[in-house]
Amino acid sequence: MVLTKEAIEAVKLTKRYRKCYDAREVDILLDEIGEAAEELCQELEHLRSVRTEYNQMKNQISEALLSAQQTAKEMLEQTRNKCNDELAAMQQRRIKLQLEISGLERYKALEIEKIRKDLERLLGDPESDESAQEAAASK
């Protein structure tokens, strides 16, 4: 018997002796109600146990999620710091390379000028020869 209000209302007992119910039928009904109540109590206890397990798992999942979030936050911060450090190092390296390039460009310009003067001296610059001849003639 499923213990519901409708099931109890549907029970029809035989009346005997001046509006009294048959004791055997009442006993049978009470046994059925007792068994149904026992089943409901067992089911209730099982559901309470399931609820307790559910709440424990829910708490474990919440703790794991919070831990994962904290770990992710820490990893992100570490990665951000590492990237910032690497960026700063790269910027310093870039500045150093730019200074080296500037120095090399100045060295290149000086060397080109030196080579040009050496070539002029070796090949003889007609302008400088004329200037030299004019200077000698005026003396």
Side-chain angles (χ1 to χ4, degrees):
M1 168 183 211
V2 177
L3 193 56
T4 64
K5 180 181 178 198
E6 291 80 20
I8 294 172
E9 289 175 352
V11 172
K12 300 292 181 207
L13 297 173
T14 306
K15 289 188 181 180
R16 301 204 188 249
Y17 313 111
R18 297 187 191 160
K19 298 186 181 184
C20 291
Y21 293 108
D22 182 352
R24 192 174 58 84
E25 287 181 359
V26 170
D27 287 342
I28 291 171
L29 178 61
L30 289 174
D31 287 343
E32 289 177 2
I33 291 172
E35 287 174 10
E38 181 64 27
E39 288 176 11
L40 288 174
C41 286
Q42 289 175 357
E43 184 179 345
L44 179 62
E45 194 58 37
H46 173 71
L47 290 174
R48 284 180 178 159
S49 173
V50 168
R51 181 183 66 192
T52 300
E53 289 177 22
Y54 168 79
N55 285 334
Q56 288 173 348
M57 288 190 311
K58 179 182 162 188
N59 289 338
Q60 289 173 346
I61 290 170
S62 293
E63 289 173 9
L65 180 60
L66 288 174
S67 177
Q69 287 173 332
Q70 183 63 31
T71 300
K73 183 179 177 182
E74 290 170 2
M75 289 175 67
L76 180 63
E77 186 64 27
Q78 288 173 355
T79 302
R80 184 176 286 125
N81 290 339
K82 184 177 178 182
C83 288
N84 286 339
D85 292 346
E86 288 181 17
L87 179 62
M90 292 174 94
Q91 287 172 337
Q92 288 176 350
R93 178 72 176 141
R94 188 191 76 190
I95 291 169
K96 184 178 176 183
L97 289 172
Q98 285 174 334
L99 290 173
E100 287 180 24
I101 289 170
S102 294
L104 290 172
E105 287 175 346
R106 283 191 301 270
Y107 176 76
K108 177 181 128 184
L110 291 173
E111 287 298 310
I112 290 173
E113 183 62 26
K114 182 179 171 185
I115 291 170
R116 189 184 63 75
K117 286 182 181 180
D118 287 346
L119 282 174
E120 285 177 359
R121 188 177 42 83
L122 291 172
L123 296 175
D125 185 12
E127 292 177 12
S128 62
D129 286 344
E130 290 174 9
S131 304
Q133 288 175 359
E134 290 175 7
S138 57
K139 288 187 184 181

